[in-house]
């Protein structure tokens, strides 16, 4: 739905999962909204839930995957969402902020769980039509809990990552 106030969407997917341990069915559902605010500002949010279709909710950086056999109903679960705000400050400067949280867990014997939290803030200066540049500052954190089925030597360390990027874009 795309209206004068903004836009909204719902989404879903069903998929077949094939693994050397068996077969299963995975699915994902989600919703998103973007609202216009006077002055050119926008607020947006999106959330999702999946069983056996993790990539439809977030990119599986920890590598738990969609399926944790041996049974066809041992799909891994993921849920989470993100929200952000962006808008102009003057004629040629825009700013934005965005945050996200995702949770992923194995259904089978491993029982691993991973949680991701991330934040970004940045700006963009447009000195000429079609040309913009500006900084983005980000932080994200992974909290990974190994399950009871994993050997101690496979323990994964939690970590935080800070980043700074300077983006230059030309649209033609």
């Amino acid at each position: 739905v795309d209206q004068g106030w903004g836009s909204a969407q719902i989404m879903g997917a069903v998929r077949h999962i094939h693994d050397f341990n068996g077969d299963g069915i995975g699915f994902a559902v989600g919703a998103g909204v973007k609202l216009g605010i006077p002055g050119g500002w926008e607020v947006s949010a999106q959330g999702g839930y999946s069983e056996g279709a993790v990539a439809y909710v977030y990119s599986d950086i920890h590598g738990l995957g969609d399926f944790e056999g041996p049974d066809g109903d041992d799909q891994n679960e993921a849920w989470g969402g993100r929200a952000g705000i962006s808008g102009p400050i003057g004629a040629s400067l825009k700013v934005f902020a965005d945050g996200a949280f995702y949770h992923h867990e194995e259904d089978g014997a491993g029982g691993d769980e991973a949680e991701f939290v991330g934040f970004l803030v940045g700006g963009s200066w447009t000195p000429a039509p079609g040309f913009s540049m500006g900084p983005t500052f980000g932080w994200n954190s992974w909290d990974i809990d190994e399950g009871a089925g994993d050997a101690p030597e496979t323990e994964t360390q939690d970590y935080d990552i800070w980043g700074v990027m300077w983006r230059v874009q030309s649209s033609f």
Side-chain angles (χ1 to χ4, degrees), residues 82-164:
R82 57 148 302 274
I85 186 168
S86 63
I89 306 242
S92 62
L93 182 63
K94 289 186 175 183
V95 294
F96 65 88
D98 190 90
F101 174 84
Y102 293 99
H103 177 84
H104 186 176
E105 62 187 74
E106 286 181 321
D107 186 43
D112 293 354
E113 292 188 14
E115 290 183 345
F116 171 85
V117 177
F119 295 100
L120 290 172
V121 295
S124 176
W125 174 51
T126 306
F131 180 72
S132 63
M133 65 178 127
T136 300
F137 304 93
W139 167 83
N140 66 57
S141 175
W142 272 103
D143 179 12
I144 302 165
D145 296 324
E146 301 292 339
D150 293 324
E153 62 271 6
T154 65
E155 188 68 26
T156 304
Q157 184 174 3
D158 300 341
Y159 56 89
D160 294 314
I161 298 174
W162 290 91
V164 177

Side-chain angles (χ1 to χ4, degrees), residues 3 14 16 23 27 34 45-46 62-63 69-70 76 78 93-94 107 132-134 145 150 154 165:
Q3 300 290 320
V14 177
H16 174 257
D23 292 313
F27 72 91
K34 180 167 53 171
Q46 181 173 319
H62 181 54
N76 293 339
L93 182 63
K94 289 186 175 183
D107 186 43
S132 63
M133 65 178 127
D145 296 324
D150 293 324
T154 65
M165 175 182 75

